Amino acid sequence: MLAQKQAEEAIVSNFTEAHDHEGKEDHHQDKEEENTSLFNVKNFLWHGGSVWDAWFSCASNQVAQVLLTLPYSFSQLGLLSGILLQIFYGIVGSWTAYLISVLYIEYRSRKEKENVNFKNHVIQWFEVLDGLLGPYWKAVGLAFNCTFLLFGSVIQLIACASNIYYINDNLDKRTWTYIFGACCATTVFIPSFHNYRIWSFLGLGMTTYTAWYLTIAAVVHGQTEGVTHTAPTKLVLYFTGATNILYTFGGHAVTVEIMHAMWKPQKFKYIYLFATVYVFTLTIPSATSVYWAFGDELLNHSNAFSLLPKNAWRDAAVILMLIHQFITFGFACTPLYFVWEKVIGMHDTKSICLRALARLPVVIPIWFLAIIFPFFGPINSAVGALLVSFTVYIIPSLAHMLTYRKASARQNAAEKPPFFLPSWTAMYVINSFIVVWVLVIGFGFGGWASMTNFVRQVDTFGLFAKCYQCKPPKPLPAAAAPHH
């Protein structure tokens, strides 16, 4: 027993030393670069792998455009349900992100015992599933993850067009989608999550400004005349709003890629929880205050910007959200780029330009889908119910239970249960609860509600809508009498 314990400690120690050595190599390489330049801006802005980099990436990626749709969700759910579900799904999402991090450490420690080198290879979630549970799990993980990230990218593109329209409505939303599709295609030049340091930092700053702008603007505006707060009124609307919140705190489809970009991935464990706590300070005040001010009027306005008065503060928030959506588009697309590179055998290529060229076919279908389905509010809910429920909640919980179903696997686990829950049985109970809850409430009721709502939107506005939820065109002025 003692020998076995020593062996386990040696495995964890070797894993830690390997990453320490890898971090030192990176640090040494960075030092060499610094010696060749008086002030190396590239190193400061470009190479990120610290705990803080991971925290900024998680917090920045977790809440973007969905910040503007949460008041819409509150109008479907009611104030109390909206706040409680945010807290509930925030905690559940942090737990499943923790499970993903544990499975990543387990997979990597096993592979490194087999002397597998990941120097020029980015580990992804489907590879973790493959290594721990086999090819069928790999196929399921790949299908759900890629589809989720694909539609996540589509949502960001639609949102860009929707937001810029509130500043400049001379062009319709479809034309803006064409323009922003070309802009977002430039993310093919960002090699990996190592290189999102400055973008993550800026992205979180932009989201913070927008959240507090919404809060303050709604309070200053005050309640509209005759405002009503009747939600919840219909089951369809209630579960549509609930799945939008499930989607809000299910933004960790890129957890493994963010971990892999860290110098010491084993430090990731609770980063997502800390990121979620910060996100609560943005989402709860903003959604509450906007719902308080506009009430049921939000049911027909899935984007909170559409109800707030046009001024310099709002325009600044719109512009900052546009830049952040570009960043979030890159976050969602980068794992897809990696998958595509592996399929065509370009993942080891060091040339940034060559890899960028190889990645372009990934952007084109995203661009096309954004033009077909230009309504991101209903898509948020549909993606949440049908994809996020499995990708982010059900699959990680099931994978954790199956990976450690044998006593030998539990004894040799690279990561033991957390200090606040030191029992494997308790972990199984929590994981089983998450699987059942999300399957019934998220996928079942949420899927029914969101698809009903989605079909209604298509019937109302049609596919390829030129300008979804736009103001009706102004009537042409009558011919004026000639002046003398």
Side-chain angles (χ1 to χ4, degrees), residues 10-177:
I11 291 165
V12 177
S13 175
N14 289 340
F15 178 67
T16 306
E17 284 171 12
H19 285 288
D20 284 348
H21 180 65
E22 191 178 309
K24 283 172 185 172
E25 277 186 353
D26 289 344
H27 185 66
H28 180 65
Q29 187 179 351
D30 291 343
K31 283 289 181 190
E32 284 181 356
E33 287 178 6
E34 282 173 14
N35 290 337
T36 61
S37 168
L38 204 62
F39 177 70
N40 197 326
V41 178
K42 179 186 172 186
N43 183 49
F44 176 71
L45 303 179
W46 192 248
H47 292 297
S50 69
V51 170
W52 281 105
D53 286 312
W55 183 83
F56 276 114
S57 291
C58 288
S60 176
N61 185 48
Q62 190 175 110
V63 58
Q65 180 62 28
V66 79
L67 191 69
L68 305 176
T69 65
L70 282 173
Y72 167 65
S73 298
F74 271 42
S75 70
Q76 298 168 319
L77 290 163
L79 186 62
L80 182 62
S81 288
I83 293 171
L84 291 177
L85 282 173
Q86 277 200 47
I87 294 168
F88 173 72
Y89 281 122
I91 293 168
V92 172
S94 299
W95 174 256
T96 53
Y98 168 77
L99 297 181
I100 291 171
S101 73
V102 167
L103 294 172
Y104 169 87
I105 298 290
E106 182 68 39
Y107 169 77
R108 187 150 184 178
S109 63
R110 289 185 189 182
K111 286 296 177 184
E112 290 188 346
K113 280 191 289 181
E114 299 168 11
N115 295 319
V116 177
N117 189 340
F118 294 107
K119 190 175 174 74
N120 293 318
H121 182 92
V122 176
I123 297 172
Q124 294 188 267
W125 176 228
F126 70 90
E127 292 168 320
V128 173
L129 291 173
D130 184 26
L132 297 176
L133 296 171
Y136 291 112
W137 278 85
K138 173 188 175 179
V140 170
L142 190 61
F144 274 106
N145 223 39
C146 287
T147 312
F148 168 39
L149 291 169
L150 179 77
F151 278 100
S153 305
V154 169
I155 287 166
Q156 297 310 319
L157 207 50
I158 297 168
C160 283
S162 176
N163 287 347
I164 192 66
Y165 183 78
Y166 296 120
I167 291 182
N168 184 338
D169 58 3
N170 293 326
L171 298 176
D172 59 74
K173 290 182 183 178
R174 189 165 67 193
T175 304
W176 280 120
T177 305

Side-chain angles (χ1 to χ4, degrees), residues 145-280:
N145 223 39
C146 287
T147 312
F148 168 39
L149 291 169
L150 179 77
F151 278 100
S153 305
V154 169
I155 287 166
Q156 297 310 319
L157 207 50
I158 297 168
C160 283
S162 176
N163 287 347
I164 192 66
Y165 183 78
Y166 296 120
I167 291 182
N168 184 338
D169 58 3
N170 293 326
L171 298 176
D172 59 74
K173 290 182 183 178
R174 189 165 67 193
T175 304
W176 280 120
T177 305
Y178 293 139
I179 294 167
F180 278 99
C183 294
C184 288
T186 58
T187 57
V188 297
F189 289 101
I190 302 175
S192 74
F193 283 99
H194 264 305
N195 314 115
Y196 272 97
R197 167 175 276 184
I198 190 63
W199 293 115
S200 299
F201 177 77
L202 291 173
L204 191 58
M206 293 164 187
T207 312
T208 301
Y209 171 87
T210 304
W212 286 108
Y213 156 73
L214 290 173
T215 306
I216 295 165
V219 172
V220 170
H221 178 277
Q223 289 189 308
T224 55
E225 190 177 346
V227 66
T228 54
H229 301 86
T230 57
T233 53
K234 296 179 182 175
L235 278 177
V236 171
L237 293 177
Y238 187 87
F239 285 108
T240 303
T243 49
N244 190 34
I245 291 181
L246 176 141
Y247 174 77
T248 304
F249 295 96
H252 45 282
V254 295
T255 300
V256 171
E257 289 83 359
I258 291 172
M259 281 188 75
H260 190 84
M262 291 177 72
W263 296 318
K264 295 182 181 178
Q266 66 273 26
K267 289 189 174 182
F268 184 87
K269 290 182 204 173
Y270 307 118
I271 286 174
Y272 198 88
L273 176 62
F274 297 140
T276 300
V277 170
Y278 180 77
V279 166
F280 283 153

Side-chain angles (χ1 to χ4, degrees), residues 369-401:
L369 285 167
I371 293 162
I372 298 177
F373 303 111
F375 23 85
F376 68 84
I379 288 181
N380 272 1
S381 299
V383 169
L386 306 179
L387 299 173
V388 177
S389 56
F390 281 94
T391 305
V392 169
Y393 298 99
I394 294 173
I395 292 175
S397 301
L398 283 175
H400 189 272
M401 289 193 286

